[in-house]
Amino acid sequence: MTYKEWFDEMAEKHRAILEGMEDASEEEIIDSFDYDKMCKQHPDYCPLYLEDKKCHEMENLNCYFCGCPYFRFCDEGIDRIDGKIRYSLCVIDAKEGKRFETEDSIHQDCSECTLPHRRAFIRKHFDRDWKRVMEKSMACSIRNVCDEQSRRQGLDGYIF
């Protein structure tokens, strides 16, 4: 599965869950994405649910952001580092993040970062439309990522 296929599939699954929750409050929606509730009510949302596994080992795991608003990807590659194609990265370079490298590729490994699965983070970035919050994930060029990082750090105009 490509990153884009994953993104579109998750956006559709997210939309389908929220379809019946038009009158629910923000807190009710966030509550409904609690890991234990999701495993019972939406076992097809994540393949790990069927194995009774979590993607991140933490208490109170919330699955509202399956994927992080700071994750960037491009199936064609964002850039090259030491001859390897980098396909994904963390735009805030979270200290818990790591790189997964193969002979010719680099991918972001977010398995130890729990930031997007915490209620405070979800509240801060909440939108009923997961796709709208996550649309920046499709970076597709290092220039887009650098522009975003410089804005985030207040470095507009800085040349990378």
Side-chain angles (χ1 to χ4, degrees):
M1 175 180 286
T2 68
Y3 283 117
K4 178 71 167 87
E5 289 168 342
W6 168 85
F7 180 87
D8 290 339
E9 181 178 306
M10 291 312 301
E12 179 53 32
K13 287 180 177 183
H14 206 275
R15 186 204 57 72
I17 290 171
L18 291 182
E19 198 169 74
M21 302 183 75
E22 291 85 2
D23 297 328
S25 70
E26 184 175 307
E27 282 302 310
E28 290 170 324
I29 292 170
I30 294 170
D31 284 343
S32 73
F33 279 85
D34 173 79
Y35 170 80
D36 293 322
K37 289 179 183 177
M38 289 293 287
C39 287
K40 290 178 184 126
Q41 296 172 359
H42 304 283
D44 294 335
Y45 186 75
C46 174
L48 295 177
Y49 292 173
L50 299 174
E51 299 174 31
D52 196 27
K53 290 183 180 178
K54 293 181 175 182
C55 57
H56 302 274
E57 282 306 317
M58 63 181 286
E59 288 187 38
N60 304 315
L61 174 66
N62 190 289
C63 303
Y64 190 81
F65 283 123
C66 177
C68 177
Y70 298 136
F71 181 75
R72 301 294 179 266
F73 68 84
C74 181
D75 288 326
E76 293 77 34
I78 295 170
D79 61 359
R80 286 186 173 270
I81 298 174
D82 297 328
K84 298 179 182 182
I85 300 173
R86 180 166 52 167
Y87 291 98
S88 58
L89 57 83
C90 174
V91 75
I92 64 168
D93 199 22
K95 65 181 182 203
E96 298 87 356
K98 300 180 287 186
R99 285 183 176 177
F100 171 74
E101 296 190 31
T102 66
E103 190 174 302
D104 57 356
S105 66
I106 301 170
H107 297 270
Q108 182 68 26
D109 175 356
C110 307
S111 60
E112 293 184 19
C113 183
T114 60
L115 183 67
H117 299 292
R118 300 189 179 282
R119 292 180 73 88
F121 183 90
I122 296 165
R123 282 186 198 108
K124 180 179 178 181
H125 298 278
F126 184 83
D127 191 310
R128 289 177 184 259
D129 185 350
W130 181 89
K131 200 169 190 174
R132 183 171 32 232
V133 176
M134 295 295 294
E135 67 188 349
K136 288 184 180 178
S137 291
M138 294 182 282
C140 282
S141 83
I142 192 61
R143 183 69 188 156
N144 290 345
V145 172
C146 290
D147 287 348
E148 182 178 0
Q149 286 174 327
S150 66
R151 281 191 304 277
R152 191 173 300 284
Q153 297 170 359
L155 302 172
D156 287 326
Y158 186 82
I159 298 174
F160 286 85

